[in-house]
Amino acid sequence: ELLVPYMPTIRVPKSGDRVYKTECAFSYDSPDSEGGVYVCMNTFLGFGREHIERHYRKTGQCVYLHLKRHVIEKVPGASGGALPKRRNAKLFLDLETNGDLNSDDFEYEDEAKLVIFPDHYEISLPNIEELPALVTIACDALLSAKSPYRKQEPDSWEEELQASKHAKTLVQLDNGVRIPPSGWKCSKCDLRENLWLNLTDGSVLCGKWFFDGSGGNGHAMEHYKETGYPLAVKLGTITPDGADVYSFDEEEPVLDPHIAKHLAHFGIDMLQMQVTENGLRDNDIKPRVSEWEVIQEAGAKLKPMYGPGYTGMKNLGNSCYLNAVMQAIFSIPEFQRAYVGNLPRIFDYSPLDPTQDFNTQMAKLGHGLLSGQYSKPPMKSELIEQVMKEEHKPQHNGISPRMFKAFISKGHPEFSSNRQQDAQEFFLHLINLVERNPVGSENPSDVFRFLVEERTQCCQSRKVRYTERVDYIMQLPVAMEAATNKDELIAYELKRREAEAARRPPPELVRAKIPFSACLQAFSEPNNVEDFWSSALQAKSAGVKTSRFASFPEYLVVQIKKFTFGLDWIPKKLDVSIDVPDFLDINHLRARGLQPGEEELPDIAPPIIIPDDPKALDIDESSVMQLAEMGFPLEACRKAVYYTGNLGAEVAFNWIIAHMEEPDFAEPLVIPAFGEVASSGASVFGAVGLDNQPPEEIVAIIISMGFQRNLAIQALKATNNNLERAMEWIFSHPELEEESEPALDMMDMENNVNANILAETGLEGPRIKDGSGRYELFGFISHMGTSTMSGHYVCHLKKEGRWVIYNDLRVCASERPPKDLGYIYFYHRIPS
């Protein structure tokens, strides 16, 4: 009778419903926790004891299934053996067991009951006699529902693949084709991303959107339709362990058991050495073991750390890259304040499904790491026996970030897989999401933002151009030529080759010792610019580019560019030791702008050539992929980059925001023939409108940046409809801008990821926190293994004056932090 008023709100889970019965949406409470988990019988969301009242108040849902796992001591039987004392006939919760418990003495019992709010009336289950049939069916379906993470986190992509029927009998043409280890591009459209090598004739062609989430024009598929050659391998995925292979005929990713032979046909040596029984090449064993031991401090007995800020994270299967980055992020006060400091407000204003809200999941993770609730020291030995006699209360040591990983990687072809990933790429992916989901008045990712001044010089005319761009990471090249122990390296290499030839164990590893100052010097030196078009010569010429800091960030993130391709085509890591300093001064890298005596390159845009074939258009694919990674449709990203004249992802993003609601937003890019009017008013850059008005497409872009229409039209008319020059014209005429106030209300601030014009900076550019270039090291992420596609990540952080190692669930005081072997370093500005 109690349930009758609530019957319309009780649902039976369907196949597409996600049932969260093992984890609270707002905390890391589970049925193992003291209060158990309450699962809403309408939304199927789970809540811990602290958060159930919030959901009840917000939704009015009254009926919940309360799930609790008990750990009890077995009762000794008459024969002296242990007889289990059971409340339920079986375990029905899909939970991991606590490995610390001795299964001979203790067992688990799961308990389920219906709870009716607000009076907390309880009905024990099973209770078929008294409950309505619908409620019994709903409870059974909920208890038997599979994990909501199973789809997002398959056990392993490789394990699910089937061997292709074509692999064994594949015919390879003896046409002399040899594939270089880098510099590939599609032979039909010059695309340099998402490239596939056909294993029959060696042609390199671009894929389609649906292969793995990357963009392309489908030339690989067209080639298959023309030739019938069935198998292709994705370039950039080839490692000694295998590669990503796609079968056009079978229309799915497949395994190729003969991939090494098929690649060798085109000069690609997957396995440079013979493989030993344990799967490691002879020359890999010693280096890998020593690197793993040094970075994880394996030889020392490390003291475990407990309490707030010392909480470990469970490895969900190659998720150590995520664990290491998030530990570093939540050691930064600005992120702590933004998410944990705002936690009550974020939780109270979270959407009805908090599992799909970025700020809620960030606040949940931050609280889990910083509260100390899931990092408690073990009980003293004299208390354990006394406690066990009643009931074992399991210690909550570490959190399992399943819900966070499932949400943050949703739709991303790499992070949603169970394969190892690059921590630097994940860091940038996270910053993108932080930018897109503002919390409060300040965006915590601003602490990493800085402006880079790029000085481009035409080598022939000696004229220069200065531009600025936003960045979040300082990427330092490894200056191998500056190694201070070259003689030792040469001797080691000779000994290694001798040992290899004689089949002896390799000599003890000698690492190249690189001065950090040499890496800084390499960063500041000029680089050649490919396909440089000189406006002074109005022709292609040789050009060089140097980069300097136009502003210094509050927190400086430094990546050591250790990963490269070897001549043997295998992605490899430079195993080097760099004397990274605790204190860093980069004030000498401050940008200085145009210098006396320098002459600027004329402000003339390259001639616009409108080809007959739209697919031959020169579209900046790196900008396209940056936008696609934010979750926008590929074709929309291509249009945005094209219509903004390849001026970069930020300008293209503004175009997307201004055109998201248009019906043809995600339709393929169609370029009209010369002189023909584009659909939706989309005119090609530089083409003058039929009524002598600037093209509507460019006007819309400037409006989307926050300027009024009349100012946009005036600027374009003054610069012959050149967007880049029009923007400069606006900035150089502030008096006109004051007369026509920027239409900031037209911008959707909540969705604007890289809004260059925000209230706090007016029109001066992106949000930056400039200051001194003096920094102190407070953390670093290290990688063990031969490439970013394999191995393991560990994080070291300096807390309360001492170094701490975060190795997934294990958090310990560090004794020998391996600062010379890091991959990503985190510095904090020293107050001046």
Side-chain angles (χ1 to χ4, degrees), residues 469-744:
R469 62 177 171 82
V470 171
D471 213 332
Y472 296 90
I473 290 185
M474 180 188 192
Q475 294 185 307
L476 278 189
V478 177
M480 290 298 290
E481 68 283 354
T484 57
N485 58 340
K486 287 178 183 172
D487 293 343
E488 292 174 56
L489 289 169
I490 293 167
Y492 164 74
E493 186 60 24
L494 287 172
K495 287 179 185 175
R496 189 189 65 77
R497 288 180 182 175
E498 287 171 8
E500 183 186 313
R503 307 295 296 165
R504 294 197 309 268
E508 188 173 339
L509 174 73
V510 176
R511 279 195 184 87
K513 294 179 180 176
I514 313 291
F516 185 80
S517 56
C519 299
L520 269 184
Q521 180 63 31
F523 169 84
S524 63
E525 287 179 355
N527 293 309
N528 291 326
V529 181
E530 287 185 27
D531 295 327
F532 175 68
W533 188 86
S534 170
S535 58
L537 307 173
Q538 296 200 31
K540 285 197 174 181
S541 168
V544 292
K545 182 185 286 184
T546 51
S547 298
R548 293 289 185 273
F549 285 84
S551 71
F552 291 121
E554 186 73 22
Y555 288 83
L556 179 67
V557 183
V558 179
Q559 177 200 13
I560 306 294
K561 294 171 74 174
K562 290 186 170 185
F563 296 100
T564 181
F565 276 101
L567 293 175
D568 53 7
W569 237 85
I570 297 172
K572 69 173 186 178
K573 186 172 80 177
L574 301 173
D575 193 359
V576 295
S577 169
I578 300 176
D579 61 338
V580 177
D582 283 315
F583 295 94
L584 176 63
D585 189 339
I586 55 170
N587 277 307
H588 65 285
L589 294 176
R590 168 78 75 172
R592 294 175 304 190
L594 188 70
Q595 295 298 295
E598 287 184 334
E599 192 177 346
E600 286 192 88
L601 283 162
D603 197 1
I604 302 169
I608 292 174
I609 300 165
I610 305 178
D612 295 332
D613 179 10
K615 290 183 180 176
L617 286 165
D618 182 20
I619 293 178
D620 179 9
E621 292 299 331
S622 63
S623 295
V624 173
M625 293 318 298
Q626 273 182 266
L627 296 167
E629 284 175 6
M630 297 178 195
F632 299 117
L634 178 70
E635 289 299 338
C637 300
R638 289 176 61 79
K639 283 159 72 172
V641 173
Y642 171 73
Y643 286 129
T644 53
N646 286 329
L647 290 180
E650 291 197 30
V651 179
F653 179 84
N654 290 325
W655 186 95
I656 285 178
I657 295 302
H659 294 76
M660 283 181 76
E661 304 305 321
E662 293 177 5
D664 61 347
F665 175 65
E667 294 297 315
L669 174 63
V670 178
I671 306 302
F674 187 70
E676 183 183 325
V677 180
S679 63
S680 305
S683 303
V684 177
F685 270 108
V688 180
L690 295 177
D691 57 355
N692 214 20
Q693 283 290 98
E696 192 60 37
E697 201 63 29
I698 317 179
V699 175
I701 293 163
I702 296 177
I703 291 172
S704 75
M705 295 179 186
F707 301 103
Q708 288 195 345
R709 181 181 179 83
N710 59 347
L711 185 62
I713 292 172
Q714 194 175 349
L716 287 166
K717 282 184 174 179
T719 56
N720 197 25
N721 298 325
N722 181 301
L723 175 64
E724 191 172 6
R725 288 168 57 204
M727 294 306 300
E728 290 172 4
W729 188 92
I730 289 173
F731 293 135
S732 62
H733 293 75
E735 70 284 354
L736 294 172
E737 172 213 322
E738 286 166 14
E739 293 168 16
S740 146
E741 286 185 18
L744 286 173

Side-chain angles (χ1 to χ4, degrees), residues 155-306:
D155 292 336
S156 169
W157 188 40
E158 285 82 356
E159 287 175 18
E160 295 174 358
L161 300 184
Q162 301 298 315
S164 170
K165 64 183 181 183
H166 300 288
K168 194 172 182 180
T169 57
L170 186 73
V171 175
Q172 294 189 282
L173 304 185
D174 194 8
N175 54 9
V177 171
R178 290 293 178 269
I179 305 297
S182 61
W184 330 293
K185 62 180 181 179
C186 175
S187 58
K188 290 191 178 178
C189 69
D190 289 346
L191 199 63
R192 295 178 183 270
E193 301 284 339
N194 189 25
L195 298 177
W196 295 76
L197 168 69
N198 191 287
L199 290 174
T200 298
D201 64 357
S203 56
V204 175
L205 297 160
C206 62
K208 256 193 167 182
W209 172 250
F210 59 78
F211 282 169
D212 71 342
S214 297
N217 296 317
H219 289 135
M221 174 63 83
E222 286 177 16
H223 185 66
Y224 161 69
K225 289 176 180 174
E226 292 165 8
T227 62
Y229 300 156
L231 297 184
V233 61
K234 187 174 182 185
L235 296 179
T237 68
I238 300 167
T239 70
D241 303 317
D244 292 357
V245 180
Y246 188 85
S247 170
F248 299 106
D249 177 47
E250 294 155 284
E251 296 185 348
E252 64 180 354
V254 294
L255 285 176
D256 179 1
H258 309 284
I259 185 67
K261 183 183 83 171
H262 291 154
L263 289 172
H265 181 82
F266 299 111
I268 303 170
D269 185 6
M270 271 182 68
L271 305 171
Q272 190 181 20
M273 306 284 180
Q274 287 191 352
V275 178
T276 58
E277 286 182 2
N278 62 2
L280 290 173
R281 291 179 285 160
D282 284 352
N283 69 328
D284 274 353
I285 296 173
K286 189 83 176 181
R288 288 189 67 180
V289 168
S290 77
E291 182 185 49
W292 287 63
E293 284 180 350
V294 173
I295 289 177
Q296 296 187 97
E297 304 184 52
K301 288 185 177 178
L302 302 180
K303 178 188 171 188
M305 304 282 284
Y306 300 100

